[in-house]
Amino acid sequence: MVWLDIGATWPLNFRCRFNMIGVDLKQKSTTISLMFLLLSFVICAQVFAQPCVVVANANKMINSLTANDVERIFLGKMKRWPDGRVVNVVYNDEKMVQTAFSEQYLHRSWRQVSTYWRKKLYSGYSMLPAFIGGHEQVKEYLMSHPDAISYLNSDELDPRVKIIKVKP
């Protein structure tokens, strides 16, 4: 039996117990190395993950949407704002925020979302939404299009955009 004790240098004191009876020394060290590497990736992913937020033009009168409305808007199922104006959906083409948004709000992987939109396009049912690369370009687009909606990392916010609160 091996105890892996991650000491005071880590934010949390973490102990794992691994049963390694009948495993030779080389396999034990490889297994421990792989588990430690996996644990490092999990901790780094949690530390560096920035929550993404739904944003719109700073002058948009709507302050919040339900999670269901956000999902329906970004999948092209809801085409109008609650005030009746047509929604202009903008996907942020930056990979990290794209992946976080699709998993957090659409409950799908980014690959599933892009496949969904390709199917809608090729079936003749819908046009693709705008895909704009980079946070600055998204903010510029939102400034010039009052009915646009998109998403950004929470650390990329500025007065040009307004956070749309997403209610459960």
Side-chain angles (χ1 to χ4, degrees):
M1 195 171 318
V2 175
W3 284 92
L4 176 60
D5 190 4
I6 301 171
T9 57
W10 293 79
L12 300 172
N13 193 7
F14 185 80
R15 276 190 178 211
C16 295
R17 187 176 136 196
F18 305 105
N19 189 358
M20 297 192 166
I21 298 173
V23 180
D24 69 10
L25 187 58
K26 185 176 181 181
Q27 287 177 330
K28 283 182 185 179
S29 66
T30 303
T31 304
I32 290 172
S33 298
L34 288 174
M35 287 187 289
F36 191 68
L37 183 64
L38 179 63
L39 182 63
S40 299
F41 283 131
V42 169
I43 290 171
C44 287
Q46 291 175 351
V47 168
F48 293 113
Q50 294 292 325
C52 59
V53 292
V54 178
V55 293
N57 184 297
N59 298 323
K60 193 70 184 161
M61 297 304 290
I62 293 170
N63 295 319
S64 65
L65 292 168
T66 66
N68 187 41
D69 285 345
V70 170
E71 184 175 1
R72 291 178 59 227
I73 285 171
F74 279 93
L75 292 177
K77 296 175 182 177
M78 183 172 162
K79 299 183 186 294
R80 296 195 177 274
W81 287 100
D83 65 3
R85 297 179 59 113
V86 175
V87 175
N88 186 356
V89 177
V90 179
Y91 277 92
N92 189 335
D93 227 4
E94 198 149 312
K95 295 296 179 196
M96 297 277 295
V97 71
Q98 204 175 55
T99 302
F101 175 80
S102 64
E103 291 173 359
Q104 182 178 351
Y105 291 105
L106 305 181
H107 312 292
R108 294 166 170 77
S109 70
W110 178 248
R111 186 177 188 145
Q112 289 172 319
V113 172
S114 61
T115 300
Y116 170 84
W117 278 109
R118 278 195 309 264
K119 284 180 182 177
K120 285 187 77 138
L121 175 68
Y122 296 140
S123 69
Y125 181 71
S126 181
M127 296 294 292
L128 288 177
F131 286 83
I132 298 178
H135 299 299
E136 282 303 314
Q137 291 87 350
V138 168
K139 288 186 263 188
E140 291 294 326
Y141 189 90
L142 290 174
M143 273 183 45
S144 61
H145 296 81
D147 292 318
I149 187 171
S150 189
Y151 49 90
L152 297 169
N153 277 340
S154 60
D155 61 346
E156 294 289 334
L157 298 173
D158 66 31
R160 297 179 288 177
V161 296
K162 175 182 187 175
I163 296 176
I164 304 294
K165 294 178 185 160
V166 180
K167 300 180 207 170

